[in-house]
Amino acid sequence: MKPGTVLLVEDDRDDADLTLMSLRQNAFGREVEVVRNGQAALDVLSGAERHKIALVILDLNLGHIGGLEVLATIRNHPTLKDLPVAVLTSSDEPRDKQEAYRLGVQGYFLKPINLDDFRPIVAGLRSILEAAKYPESC
Amino acid sequence: MRSRPSSQPRRTHRGLLARLREAEETLRAIRFGQVDALVVDSPDGEKVFTLQGADFVYRVIFEEMGEGAASLGLDGSILYGNRRLAALLGEPLGRTIGASLRDFLDETGNRRLDTLLREAADRGSSRGELTFLLRSGREMPVLIALSNLADQGIPAVSAIVTDLTREKERSDRLAAANEELQAFNYSASHDLRSPLRTIAGFSQALAREDLGLNERGKEYCGRIVAAVQRMSMIIDAMLNLSRTTLTELNMTTVDLSAAAREIAAELQRTDPERKAEFMIAPSLHAFGDRDLLRQALVNLLGNAWKFTSGQTTARIEFGSSRKDGRQVFFIRDNGVGFDEAFADKLFRPFQRLHGRDEFPGTGVGLALVARIIRRHHGAIWARGRPGQGAEFFFELPNRRDAER
């Protein structure tokens, strides 16, 4: 795993492939590691290479350990608590959005039907990564 | 020297004063319980009305009424109760009188009763919900309304007890149904959208990447994506519709004119080339949920905007008039109008009066407006003729009626 890798937590294979495709199409330019559930995400984040992860892209509907739970675990972890996290979900329930922001997410994006709508999302992810480089400025 | 004509009115005046004094004395006597009967002249001769008789009527009402009724001592003891109260408590009447309401309440219930008794003593009356614990083991939710009798010189309160079991069951069922609907919405928004994303995403990928698809193939992919987007819009609209039913209303005074001006500007921004005149009456206010009323205006003005798209100059008016003393808001346009024979279809979801190719949309917009107005206990109706524009009217209860 290269330093600066993005961890994509997505249980739906189609969604994962479409997201990867769109990131590539919009020249995201980062290595992306895909895991399929919350536990696998936590394993990577507590493993030897955890310091190489620069951003987590998190689905919310993940089965046993949901996205919000993963997010809460990250925010309560002594060394991971400042890791940037962006939610990419199909839920536009105000409840989910409020809870995600309450737990301290850097971005909340809706999975688009049209792949063209990935462009602003990729731009958003880039600016989250940029902002994380200068934590004092915010 | 006194003249004769003037003494007549003076005598009449004295007579009237005497009768007034007599009437006042009678009233005072009735008030202080010194009168047992009144004799009244009637065309059928003299009639005797005894106050005991009047009392008897109230006694019958008290005994036969469908609510539990009692007089309570200030400590909650039942001084006297009717049969319905005994039935509610599941005790013979003989055992109810002399018992205490406290015997049918748990600790929390007793504290609530204390509060209600204190409130009744301080303010004259109080009401609140309690749960009776009956000897049978059953719990019975009740509404209790207390009135202080101290004004009549009696150190007691009267109590009316209403059984809320059915209301509670009904509201529990409603809450369960709402919860189910909410769960369904949640699942619909996730589970229906997910395969749509796959269909649209891979269709786009097929057309985009170097997979050797010819122009016709690419066009078909484009149609698939367009259809999926339409379906996604319908899902959004359906969700919006059911959320409108489920969300709680946050009632406040809403400046409809300001909202309409903003919406008009937004509409104009979507197509700056279009010639449209918006005539929005100033300072129209309504009492309701800000977000929902705004949504209703978005849909009504959006509707007018859409159906005037064929006019060289669209004219869209938002104003109000008075009908039977009530304020009626209207949105009027010079668009294609509609046939009033189908007016009842206008506000039903997924009904369209115009072809989708002609005017795009999900067929949910006006249904949503109708639901919003109905949730406010208002009314909505429409008038129109093909080719002659449309008028939508709505009415909302004013603040006083809404709060009642």
Side-chain angles (χ1 to χ4, degrees):
Chain A
M1 205 189 284
K2 273 193 219 161
T5 293
V6 170
L7 181 66
L8 173 63
V9 192
E10 174 58 77
D11 65 333
D12 186 303
R13 213 190 115 198
D14 290 340
D15 276 349
D17 284 351
L18 289 170
T19 303
L20 286 173
M21 200 187 293
S22 302
L23 289 174
R24 208 166 43 236
Q25 203 114 44
N26 290 287
F28 188 53
R30 294 257 180 176
E31 190 174 311
V32 182
E33 175 87 11
V34 184
V35 289
R36 302 287 293 278
N37 59 57
Q39 187 55 55
L42 293 177
D43 289 347
V44 171
L45 290 171
S46 57
E49 296 193 287
R50 62 168 183 258
H51 57 279
K52 292 182 182 168
I53 304 291
L55 168 72
V56 180
I57 303 176
L58 196 57
D59 184 23
L60 291 186
N61 241 11
L62 287 171
H64 287 310
I65 300 179
L68 291 174
E69 244 174 289
V70 174
L71 177 58
T73 309
I74 292 172
R75 289 292 171 255
N76 289 325
H77 192 279
T79 54
L80 291 173
K81 62 182 188 339
D82 296 322
L83 182 63
V85 179
V87 165
L88 181 61
T89 175
S90 52
S91 168
D92 61 351
E93 290 288 324
R95 209 174 24 170
D96 282 342
K97 197 170 185 172
Q98 281 157 13
E99 188 60 10
Y101 275 109
R102 195 186 65 81
L103 288 170
V105 83
Q106 272 69 37
Y108 191 101
F109 304 103
L110 282 181
K111 290 177 184 171
I113 294 276
N114 191 327
L115 292 188
D116 296 339
D117 295 332
F118 254 108
R119 191 170 308 143
I121 296 177
V122 175
L125 295 174
R126 268 202 209 98
S127 59
I128 290 172
L129 282 163
E130 276 303 304
K133 276 199 233 162
Y134 312 103
E136 307 308 323
S137 67
C138 50
Chain B
M1 195 183 117
R2 271 189 204 164
S3 69
R4 239 186 122 71
S6 75
S7 70
Q8 183 64 27
R10 202 164 288 174
R11 250 206 310 277
T12 312
H13 181 237
R14 261 203 306 275
L16 281 174
L17 273 180
R19 288 178 68 179
L20 191 60
R21 249 194 315 275
E22 191 187 323
E24 274 175 353
E25 269 165 23
T26 311
L27 278 176
R28 200 172 301 129
I30 291 172
R31 202 175 293 151
F32 291 107
Q34 295 159 344
V35 172
D36 295 325
L38 292 172
V39 182
V40 176
D41 280 328
S42 79
D44 311 327
E46 284 184 338
K47 274 194 172 168
V48 179
F49 290 89
T50 63
L51 290 184
Q52 216 179 343
D55 202 33
F56 178 72
V57 173
Y58 293 122
R59 175 62 56 114
V60 171
I61 292 172
F62 176 80
E63 290 298 347
E64 301 300 326
M65 66 196 269
E67 321 275 299
S71 50
L72 301 179
L74 298 180
D75 57 350
S77 56
I78 302 171
L79 305 176
Y80 188 73
N82 67 357
R83 274 180 293 179
R84 175 67 181 149
L85 180 75
L88 287 180
L89 294 173
E91 302 282 338
L93 188 58
R95 236 202 318 233
T96 312
I97 297 166
S100 172
L101 218 49
R102 296 188 183 284
D103 302 341
F104 300 92
L105 295 169
D106 65 4
E107 222 175 288
T108 323
N110 266 307
R111 273 200 301 274
R112 295 210 59 186
L113 181 62
D114 283 335
T115 313
L116 290 170
L117 285 167
R118 225 178 7 253
E119 268 179 36
D122 293 347
R123 289 191 229 145
S125 69
S126 64
R127 56 197 282 134
E129 289 183 18
L130 293 173
T131 304
F132 283 159
L133 304 171
L134 307 186
R135 208 204 292 268
S136 63
R138 210 186 120 196
E139 292 187 7
M140 179 187 283
V142 297
L143 175 72
I144 186 162
L146 303 178
S147 300
N148 194 359
L149 301 175
D151 287 352
Q152 327 297 320
I154 309 166
V157 294
S158 72
I160 304 289
V161 180
T162 311
D163 181 3
L164 294 182
T165 307
R166 275 210 197 149
E167 280 77 358
K168 274 278 180 316
E169 277 171 6
R170 212 173 297 147
S171 67
D172 286 354
R173 268 206 305 277
L174 195 62
N178 270 349
E179 210 166 290
E180 220 166 276
L181 193 56
Q182 230 145 11
F184 174 80
N185 280 355
Y186 195 78
S187 146
S189 73
H190 286 83
D191 302 345
L192 290 181
R193 279 204 192 109
S194 167
L196 286 183
R197 262 197 321 273
T198 304
I199 297 168
F202 284 103
S203 302
Q204 274 180 297
L206 261 182
R208 209 186 261 171
E209 288 183 13
D210 191 18
L211 293 172
L213 213 61
N214 64 17
E215 279 313 305
R216 187 127 61 106
K218 285 182 185 170
E219 191 214 318
Y220 290 169
C221 285
R223 289 202 195 177
I224 294 172
V225 175
V228 168
Q229 276 181 317
R230 204 161 61 235
M231 180 150 177
S232 166
M233 271 170 60
I234 295 173
I235 293 173
D236 287 346
M238 281 170 66
L239 287 174
N240 227 337
L241 198 61
S242 66
R243 275 187 203 144
T244 309
T245 318
L246 293 171
T247 49
E248 259 178 51
L249 299 187
N250 199 349
M251 302 295 278
T252 165
T253 299
V254 185
D255 186 343
L256 296 182
S257 299
R261 278 193 299 272
E262 282 168 28
I263 296 160
E266 276 164 33
L267 287 169
Q268 190 67 74
R269 262 199 299 278
T270 62
D271 189 355
E273 302 298 305
R274 252 189 81 178
K275 268 203 203 144
E277 284 173 17
F278 281 97
M279 285 160 282
I280 294 163
S283 18
L284 297 179
H285 291 87
F287 186 63
D289 182 284
R290 188 186 307 279
D291 293 341
L292 288 185
L293 290 185
R294 190 188 153 85
Q295 181 68 56
L297 284 179
V298 164
N299 290 18
L300 284 169
L301 290 167
N303 195 66
W305 175 259
K306 180 163 68 180
F307 289 103
T308 49
S309 60
Q311 310 301 316
T312 35
T313 304
R315 256 196 309 280
I316 298 169
E317 195 183 343
F318 175 48
S320 86
S321 58
R322 292 246 147 218
K323 187 189 127 204
D324 306 329
R326 295 190 309 268
Q327 189 170 28
V328 176
F329 300 99
F330 63 82
I331 278 134
R332 191 178 289 151
D333 67 58
N334 64 337
V336 294
F338 62 91
D339 186 343
E340 269 186 22
F342 303 111
D344 59 327
K345 274 176 101 181
L346 271 177
F347 299 110
R348 275 194 234 141
F350 305 109
Q351 300 273 0
R352 313 175 50 89
L353 296 189
H354 299 277
R356 206 184 55 227
D357 293 340
E358 230 183 320
F359 296 102
T362 55
V364 171
L366 289 177
L368 188 63
V369 176
R371 201 166 283 190
I372 290 171
I373 301 298
R374 250 183 273 135
R375 276 219 62 193
H376 284 81
H377 304 289
I380 182 162
W381 65 98
R383 267 205 317 244
R385 283 236 298 276
Q388 313 243 330
E391 279 180 294
F392 288 86
F393 302 89
F394 66 92
E395 238 183 69
L396 292 165
N398 61 31
R399 185 176 196 133
R400 210 182 48 236
D401 291 340
E403 281 173 344
R404 196 171 289 159

